[in-house]
């Protein structure tokens, strides 16, 4: 069992026991309803593929598909389980699913990548659809791959079903605001925490691990919404850049797209450190927008931030979270903090089913209207029960899933 699956299942057991559920009920919930393990061919080679459908109690399965050489069945099961918790935590009428293929997509030609995507969708056609299971993009998949999958699925199905996949390109029924949704959701959740503590106009500092799509949009939207907060460090897989005077992520030599850190004007004279130094930097808020297990029992003691925002899935391990909680370091948990992506996927599905196309303001306003009450309820439960935000979020979700 990989660490993410172990961490997810341990958190569920603690929360479910606290709610009074016995081991038999918990064991049954932890088991996925269906596991699809198969092979997909591309360029004459077969690649192991998975789709785990964890829980459909609240609605159709929902979850991304990742193409990565480190994909495993345990990882996919962990992410499907966490998606069940995440959708329940923010009160969406959806269940949890996840998919993956063990492949390095960089080694494939564009034609082979399309063959892989279409083969994956074709195999799963009997098991997915807008009323069954609604996949979306994840690591190394994007709107073009979703478009290919939807096209293949509809060919096999023999009819149109645009809500069967989300994260599509705009001309295929994608939603405004989808690209920025996870980052925007993180800002909404952090903003609620800051408002509750009257910190929105304080000169706080932020260190950001991960500057891909999620990290960039989080930083850009935070900069617009909370100008008093200063981004002072950015890390990717190679380096950490420290710039105490602040980093404007919109000041770049490539304004037409999300930049790499090297392309930000404010980082030209920044101090360059090893990548993992971001965890130990002095900042008020540490945002984890890269990969799982970024903060472990080994480096948790070096964390200096008072608040951690989990924008990645499982970036703080179970043992690290215990250490941080004892030190009164606040963790805004992934199942709420990074739920913006699945929330706007749900809004895309709603638009597809209704044959509508919403403008970006309506999407963003609806996203906030879903996340804000869920975040406030998590805060209230944590305070009333004297428990961590993560446990409060898990308990709220499990109350809906097990009740």
């Amino acid at each position: 069992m990989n660490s993410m699956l172990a961490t997810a299942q341990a958190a569920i057991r603690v929360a479910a026991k606290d709610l009074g559920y016995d081991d038999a009920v918990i064991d049954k919930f932890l088991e996925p309803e269906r596991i699809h393990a198969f092979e997909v061919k591309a360029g004459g080679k077969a690649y192991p593929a998975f789709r785990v459908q964890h829980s459909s109690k609240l609605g159709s399965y929902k979850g991304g598909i990742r193409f990565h050489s480190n994909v495993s069945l345990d990882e996919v099961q962990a992410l499907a389980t966490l998606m069940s918790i995440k959708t329940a935590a923010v009160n969406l009428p959806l269940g949890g699913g996840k998919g993956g293929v063990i492949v390095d997509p960089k080694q494939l030609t564009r034609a082979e990548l399309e063959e892989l995507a279409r083969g994956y969708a074709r195999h799963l056609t009997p098991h997915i659809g807008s009323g069954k299971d609604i996949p979306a993009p994840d690591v190394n998949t994007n709107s073009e791959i979703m478009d290919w999958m939807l096209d293949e699925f509809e060919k096999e199905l023999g009819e149109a079903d645009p809500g069967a996949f989300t994260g599509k390109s705009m001309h295929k029924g994608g939603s405004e605001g989808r690209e920025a949704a996870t980052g925007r959701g993180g800002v909404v959740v952090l903003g609620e925490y800051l408002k509750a503590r009257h910190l929105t106009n304080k000169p706080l500092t932020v260190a950001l691990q991960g500057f891909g799509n999620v990290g960039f949009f989080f930083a850009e939207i935070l900069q617009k919404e909370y100008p008093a907060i200063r981004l002072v460090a950015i890390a990717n897989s190679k380096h950490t850049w420290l710039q105490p005077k602040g980093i404007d992520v919109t000041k770049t030599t490539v304004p037409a797209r999300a930049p790499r850190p090297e392309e930000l004007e404010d980082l030209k004279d920044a101090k360059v450190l090893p990548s993992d130094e971001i965890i130990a930097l002095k900042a008020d808020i540490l945002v984890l927008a890269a990969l799982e297990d970024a903060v472990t029992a080994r480096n948790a003691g070096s964390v200096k931030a008072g608040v951690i925002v989990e924008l990645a899935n499982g970036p703080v391990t179970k043992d690290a979270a215990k250490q941080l909680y004892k030190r009164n370091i606040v963790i805004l948990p992934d199942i709420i903090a990074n739920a913006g992506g699945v929330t706007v996927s749900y809004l895309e599905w709603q638009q597809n089913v209704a044959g509508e196309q919403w403008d970006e303001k309506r999407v963003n306003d609806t996203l906030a209207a879903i996340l804000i009450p869920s975040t406030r309820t998590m805060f209230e439960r944590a305070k009333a029960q004297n428990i961590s935000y993560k446990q409060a979020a898990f308990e709220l979700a499990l109350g809906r899933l097990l009740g």
Side-chain angles (χ1 to χ4, degrees):
M1 184 184 295
N2 77 356
S3 62
M4 186 190 291
L5 182 56
T7 297
Q9 292 191 347
I12 289 166
R13 283 193 183 279
V14 169
K17 291 237 176 185
D18 199 53
L19 292 171
Y21 292 99
D22 61 28
D23 285 332
V25 172
I26 299 168
D27 289 344
K28 184 178 180 182
F29 173 75
L30 291 176
E31 284 301 310
E33 292 174 355
R34 292 179 186 83
I35 295 176
H36 304 278
F38 52 102
E39 288 187 336
V40 183
K41 290 186 178 179
K45 186 176 177 182
Y47 298 93
F50 312 101
R51 183 72 180 173
V52 174
Q53 296 170 320
H54 177 259
S55 172
S56 59
K57 178 171 182 181
L58 300 181
S60 301
Y61 305 109
K62 186 81 190 77
I65 300 165
R66 54 179 54 186
F67 290 172
H68 197 279
S69 54
N70 291 334
V71 162
S72 68
L73 180 56
D74 272 3
E75 178 194 53
V76 174
Q77 182 177 334
L79 292 165
T81 305
L82 287 170
M83 186 60 81
S84 295
I85 299 291
K86 185 182 297 184
T87 53
V90 295
N91 218 9
L92 296 178
L94 296 169
K98 204 74 177 184
V101 180
I102 303 176
V103 62
D104 180 358
K106 296 186 179 108
Q107 302 301 314
L108 302 181
T109 66
R110 188 171 184 276
E112 288 169 344
L113 186 63
E114 181 174 356
E115 183 184 3
L116 189 78
R118 288 182 177 275
Y120 185 92
R122 189 164 55 249
H123 181 93
L124 287 173
T125 293
H127 311 291
I128 60 178
S130 60
K132 295 180 185 176
D133 183 355
I134 310 155
D138 200 89
V139 177
N140 292 330
T141 56
N142 55 24
S143 60
E144 182 176 45
I145 290 172
M146 294 305 105
D147 290 351
W148 289 334
M149 288 189 175
L150 176 64
D151 182 65
E152 191 67 26
F153 169 76
E154 290 182 333
K155 282 180 183 175
E156 289 288 307
L157 191 67
E159 62 185 48
D161 186 10
F165 289 81
T166 59
K168 305 180 295 294
S169 62
M170 290 300 297
H171 73 281
K172 289 286 188 179
S175 176
E176 296 284 358
R178 177 65 184 86
E179 191 178 14
T182 304
R184 180 176 295 279
V187 174
V188 170
V189 173
L190 175 60
E192 286 305 300
Y193 174 82
L194 298 175
K195 287 172 191 172
R197 280 149 188 80
H198 310 290
L199 295 172
T200 51
N201 295 314
K202 300 292 183 184
L204 303 174
T205 55
V206 174
L208 172 63
Q209 183 194 49
F211 202 62
N213 180 70
V214 174
F216 169 74
F217 282 111
F218 174 88
E220 182 186 48
I221 295 163
L222 184 74
Q223 189 173 303
K224 290 177 184 174
E225 300 282 336
Y226 299 98
I229 298 175
R230 192 166 80 255
L231 179 65
V232 296
I234 291 173
N236 63 11
S237 60
K238 297 177 182 176
H239 304 291
T240 288
W241 288 264
L242 176 62
Q243 179 55 277
K245 71 182 182 183
I247 304 162
D248 182 343
V249 297
T250 65
K251 289 170 62 178
T252 170
T253 56
V254 284
R257 62 174 175 80
R260 297 191 302 272
E262 299 93 328
E263 297 164 335
L264 295 176
E265 291 181 12
D266 287 335
L267 295 186
K268 287 178 181 176
D269 60 345
K271 186 175 182 180
V272 182
L273 303 166
S275 177
D276 58 4
E277 286 292 307
I278 192 79
I279 302 299
L281 288 182
K282 188 175 181 180
D284 298 302
I285 302 162
L286 174 61
V287 180
L288 303 174
L291 295 171
E292 66 269 14
D293 300 344
V295 179
T296 66
R298 291 179 61 189
N299 64 5
S302 68
V303 172
K304 297 181 180 66
V307 178
I308 293 176
V309 183
E310 290 190 314
L311 280 188
N313 287 314
V316 180
T317 67
K318 175 183 66 173
D319 291 338
K322 286 180 182 175
Q323 288 187 36
L324 296 168
Y325 188 60
K326 286 178 183 175
R327 292 172 55 203
N328 295 317
I329 293 173
V330 170
I331 302 173
L332 298 175
D334 50 3
I335 61 168
I336 298 278
N338 76 7
V342 70
T343 301
V344 174
S345 278
Y346 167 65
L347 302 182
E348 179 180 332
W349 173 83
Q350 277 194 317
Q351 293 169 71
N352 295 158
V353 170
E356 299 175 349
Q357 185 75 57
W358 301 353
D359 62 30
E360 188 172 0
K361 183 179 185 306
R362 182 176 175 185
V363 172
N364 291 343
D365 288 349
T366 309
L367 167 65
I370 290 170
L371 289 186
I372 288 172
S374 301
T375 303
R376 290 177 180 173
T377 303
M378 174 182 70
F379 291 162
E380 290 162 5
R381 186 178 188 90
K383 184 177 180 180
Q385 302 288 333
N386 193 28
I387 55 177
S388 69
Y389 291 148
K390 182 179 281 285
Q391 186 168 345
F394 268 78
E395 288 186 8
L396 289 166
L398 290 167
R400 293 166 183 149
L401 287 162
L402 301 178

